[in-house]
Amino acid sequence: MKESAENYLEAILMLSHGQKPVRSVDVANELGFSKPSVSVAMRKLRESGLIVSDSDGHITLTDEGRKIAKTMYERHTIISDWLISLGVDKQTALHDACKIEHDMSEQSFAAIQKFIKKGETKNVKLERN
């Protein structure tokens, strides 16, 4: 899947946590893209079976779309939090995590998760002593 599609799905997921339904204009505003560009992307996501939209233009993720969006969000959150814990400023960490999350293999991401968990375990043991 292309990075842009993953970004759209992740944005829809994040926007769907709000109280109101998600529309293309909300996605455009969130990502800073033009409405026509978002409209084309939404059509491609619909054709790929990753989103559905109702007659009012409200966008909902399909099960497959939600799975991809959650994966991207998890990667983004874990990587950005890890970079921040290493001393990277928040803005840079968020920006870099957005780039890394799309290109990283499952194997590398799993290794980072394992490394972070080991570090958390060590910190817990140290705090108890």
Side-chain angles (χ1 to χ4, degrees):
M1 170 158 293
K2 293 190 176 193
E3 179 179 335
S4 61
E6 292 170 343
N7 281 334
Y8 280 111
L9 294 171
E10 187 178 0
I12 294 166
L13 177 69
M14 298 311 302
L15 289 167
S16 70
H17 290 138
Q19 300 292 11
K20 60 183 183 170
V22 178
R23 299 170 301 132
S24 289
V25 66
D26 302 320
V27 176
N29 290 337
E30 177 71 17
L31 297 175
F33 297 151
S34 70
K35 291 176 191 173
S37 294
V38 171
S39 181
V40 169
M42 293 302 108
R43 181 177 43 80
K44 288 180 182 178
L45 292 173
R46 257 191 320 278
E47 290 170 356
S48 298
L50 299 172
I51 64 167
V52 293
S53 45
D54 64 18
S55 59
D56 293 326
H58 300 152
I59 302 166
T60 306
L61 295 167
T62 62
D63 289 341
E64 182 63 21
R66 182 171 297 284
K67 179 181 172 186
I68 294 166
K70 283 184 173 183
T71 297
M72 289 301 103
Y73 179 72
E74 176 188 35
R75 283 180 171 217
H76 184 87
T77 302
I78 289 172
I79 293 167
S80 60
D81 288 350
W82 181 51
L83 291 171
I84 290 167
S85 76
L86 294 173
V88 177
D89 70 89
K90 184 177 180 177
Q91 193 63 31
T92 301
L94 292 172
H95 178 74
D96 289 349
C98 196
K99 289 192 231 177
I100 295 168
E101 72 190 58
H102 301 285
D103 293 327
M104 181 177 286
S105 69
E106 285 294 323
Q107 182 182 6
S108 293
F109 183 67
I112 289 173
Q113 283 183 300
K114 185 177 177 181
F115 178 81
I116 291 169
K117 286 184 182 185
K118 277 185 179 179
E120 289 173 357
T121 302
K122 286 181 183 178
N123 288 339
V124 170
K125 287 180 184 176
L126 291 174
E127 289 174 6
R128 290 183 183 162
N129 291 334

